[in-house]
Amino acid sequence: MDSTTIVRTKGERGAMSIMACDSGRAFATRIIQHLNEIIQNETHSLPLRLIHSEEITFSNGEVKTVIHENVRGDDHYIVQCIDDPLSEKSVNDNLMALLTAINAAFQSDADSITAVIPQFPYSRQERKKTRECITAKQVAQFIEVSGANRVITLDVHAEAIMGFFTTAKLENLHASNYIIKHFKENYSANDLVITAADVGGAERARYYSKTLHAHLAIVDKARDYSKKSVISSMRLVGDVDGKDVLIPDDMISTGGTIINAVKLLKDKGAQKIYVTCSLPFFNEPAVELLSKAYEEGLIAKVIGTDAVFHGPEFVKNTPWYDEVTIAPLFAEVIYNINQKRSVSELLK
Ligand code: R5P
């Protein structure tokens, strides 16, 4: 063990300790780096490091988590990035790994267990339209039943998911302020119009438009839910003719929504189009679609956060992509929770 670091730091709530599932390790390391800056400034105590734990996958695909250090009585945080583009593990593998990690902490008698999951899985399945499951609620129940007291996530797709928890609390962080700051510092736009890619994104777009003092437009998108990822119609409410556009979305999955919105905006006379998203999943065929759109001059830049981490090589080799780290926000929220301080200002 490194004698210059400590495993936990004493907070108002109890000793804080941080653990990561395999796919959450990179993000957890960045959170710890920022937590240590806060801890150094506030208490001058020794820096934190990750709790030693192990995710074991058996030959039949079953998974279990073993914690190799004492966490009894801790205010314990478990970091997992469920959709991990740098691993072969599926969303379901990583969800199951998270549940086993939560239960390992519960069985190890941690006082409080917080699942730090920047990507809330199954968040687009929060209501039913026919004879189907409400999987987002099942996920909330699985997390609670495994032993978690709290969940910290980022721009959860449907805020109704907060109400799916009975005993655990959900803290929903927003990437908007970090992305807006980055945009203001690194880009200059002419006569900017903030455009929601669909009606569901109107509130976020309104926040961007207020903060950046820019006009607002909305793409009204109708989906054909009888087919997978099929959009049946799109129309623009607002004016983008001759103007630069910024589209703030919560996530880019296949890229279909963004590409369709961008094509419509170009038809309506938009100049440079910037796209921002909290969760750049880039599931197939998003990278191909976005690369093509960039080459054809449809998109100027896509700005995403490291809540979905594509690695430094991807960022270096992808001219249309720019990454903002959101780990400092998670570090601040975790620190405030541990100190029993308000987090309201940080949730805006
Ligand atoms: C839609 O409601 C969301 O805000 C995203 O625009 C959508 O889920 C992205 O999915 P895709 O990239 O597959 O169109």
Side-chain angles (χ1 to χ4, degrees), residues 85-86 308-316 321 323:
L86 297 177
V308 184
F309 190 51
H310 292 272
E313 284 303 302
F314 180 84
V315 178
K316 203 172 107 200
Y321 186 59
E323 188 186 72

Short mmCIF file of all heavy atoms in Angstrom, two decimals, residues 85-86 308-316 321 323:
data_model
loop_
_atom_site.label_atom_id
_atom_site.label_comp_id
_atom_site.label_asym_id
_atom_site.label_seq_id
_atom_site.Cartn_x
_atom_site.Cartn_y
_atom_site.Cartn_z
N PRO A 85 -17.58 2.66 -23.94
CA PRO A 85 -17.12 2.38 -25.30
C PRO A 85 -15.73 1.74 -25.35
O PRO A 85 -15.36 1.17 -26.37
CB PRO A 85 -17.05 3.77 -25.96
CG PRO A 85 -17.62 4.74 -25.01
CD PRO A 85 -17.69 4.09 -23.67
N LEU A 86 -14.98 1.81 -24.24
CA LEU A 86 -13.63 1.26 -24.25
C LEU A 86 -13.57 -0.18 -23.75
O LEU A 86 -12.50 -0.74 -23.58
CB LEU A 86 -12.70 2.14 -23.39
CG LEU A 86 -12.52 3.58 -23.89
CD1 LEU A 86 -11.65 4.38 -22.95
CD2 LEU A 86 -11.93 3.59 -25.29
N VAL A 308 -19.25 9.77 -20.72
CA VAL A 308 -19.05 8.59 -21.58
C VAL A 308 -17.65 8.80 -22.15
O VAL A 308 -17.41 9.70 -22.94
CB VAL A 308 -20.09 8.52 -22.73
CG1 VAL A 308 -19.89 7.23 -23.52
CG2 VAL A 308 -21.51 8.61 -22.20
N PHE A 309 -16.74 7.97 -21.69
CA PHE A 309 -15.31 8.23 -21.96
C PHE A 309 -14.85 7.42 -23.17
O PHE A 309 -14.89 6.21 -23.17
CB PHE A 309 -14.51 7.84 -20.71
CG PHE A 309 -13.08 8.25 -20.76
CD1 PHE A 309 -12.73 9.56 -21.07
CD2 PHE A 309 -12.07 7.34 -20.47
CE1 PHE A 309 -11.39 9.96 -21.11
CE2 PHE A 309 -10.74 7.72 -20.50
CZ PHE A 309 -10.41 9.02 -20.82
N HIS A 310 -14.42 8.16 -24.20
CA HIS A 310 -13.97 7.50 -25.43
C HIS A 310 -12.45 7.37 -25.49
O HIS A 310 -11.92 6.82 -26.44
CB HIS A 310 -14.50 8.26 -26.65
CG HIS A 310 -15.99 8.17 -26.78
ND1 HIS A 310 -16.62 7.14 -27.46
CD2 HIS A 310 -16.98 8.94 -26.28
CE1 HIS A 310 -17.94 7.31 -27.39
NE2 HIS A 310 -18.18 8.39 -26.68
N GLY A 311 -11.76 7.94 -24.51
CA GLY A 311 -10.30 7.83 -24.45
C GLY A 311 -9.61 8.94 -25.22
O GLY A 311 -10.17 9.52 -26.15
N PRO A 312 -8.35 9.24 -24.85
CA PRO A 312 -7.62 10.36 -25.45
C PRO A 312 -7.37 10.18 -26.95
O PRO A 312 -7.37 11.15 -27.70
CB PRO A 312 -6.29 10.38 -24.68
CG PRO A 312 -6.27 9.15 -23.84
CD PRO A 312 -7.64 8.60 -23.74
N GLU A 313 -7.20 8.92 -27.41
CA GLU A 313 -6.93 8.69 -28.84
C GLU A 313 -8.13 9.12 -29.69
O GLU A 313 -7.97 9.73 -30.74
CB GLU A 313 -6.67 7.19 -29.08
CG GLU A 313 -5.30 6.74 -28.64
CD GLU A 313 -4.19 7.54 -29.32
OE1 GLU A 313 -4.15 7.53 -30.57
OE2 GLU A 313 -3.39 8.16 -28.61
N PHE A 314 -9.33 8.78 -29.22
CA PHE A 314 -10.55 9.14 -29.95
C PHE A 314 -10.65 10.66 -30.06
O PHE A 314 -10.91 11.21 -31.13
CB PHE A 314 -11.78 8.57 -29.25
CG PHE A 314 -13.09 8.90 -29.95
CD1 PHE A 314 -13.54 8.13 -31.01
CD2 PHE A 314 -13.86 9.99 -29.54
CE1 PHE A 314 -14.73 8.44 -31.67
CE2 PHE A 314 -15.05 10.30 -30.19
CZ PHE A 314 -15.48 9.53 -31.25
N VAL A 315 -10.40 11.34 -28.94
CA VAL A 315 -10.52 12.80 -28.93
C VAL A 315 -9.47 13.40 -29.88
O VAL A 315 -9.77 14.31 -30.67
CB VAL A 315 -10.34 13.36 -27.49
CG1 VAL A 315 -10.41 14.88 -27.48
CG2 VAL A 315 -11.41 12.78 -26.56
N LYS A 316 -8.24 12.84 -29.84
CA LYS A 316 -7.16 13.36 -30.68
C LYS A 316 -7.44 13.13 -32.17
O LYS A 316 -7.18 13.99 -33.01
CB LYS A 316 -5.86 12.64 -30.27
CG LYS A 316 -4.61 13.44 -30.63
CD LYS A 316 -3.37 12.81 -30.03
CE LYS A 316 -2.59 12.15 -31.16
NZ LYS A 316 -1.65 11.14 -30.72
N TYR A 321 -14.96 16.18 -32.76
CA TYR A 321 -15.34 15.96 -31.36
C TYR A 321 -14.47 16.74 -30.38
O TYR A 321 -13.26 16.79 -30.52
CB TYR A 321 -15.28 14.46 -31.03
CG TYR A 321 -15.82 14.16 -29.64
CD1 TYR A 321 -17.13 14.49 -29.32
CD2 TYR A 321 -15.02 13.58 -28.66
CE1 TYR A 321 -17.63 14.24 -28.04
CE2 TYR A 321 -15.51 13.32 -27.39
CZ TYR A 321 -16.82 13.66 -27.09
OH TYR A 321 -17.31 13.42 -25.83
N GLU A 323 -14.11 17.33 -26.03
CA GLU A 323 -14.57 16.74 -24.77
C GLU A 323 -14.37 17.71 -23.59
O GLU A 323 -13.34 18.35 -23.48
CB GLU A 323 -13.76 15.46 -24.50
CG GLU A 323 -14.27 14.67 -23.32
CD GLU A 323 -13.35 13.48 -23.02
OE1 GLU A 323 -12.23 13.72 -22.52
OE2 GLU A 323 -13.75 12.36 -23.29
#
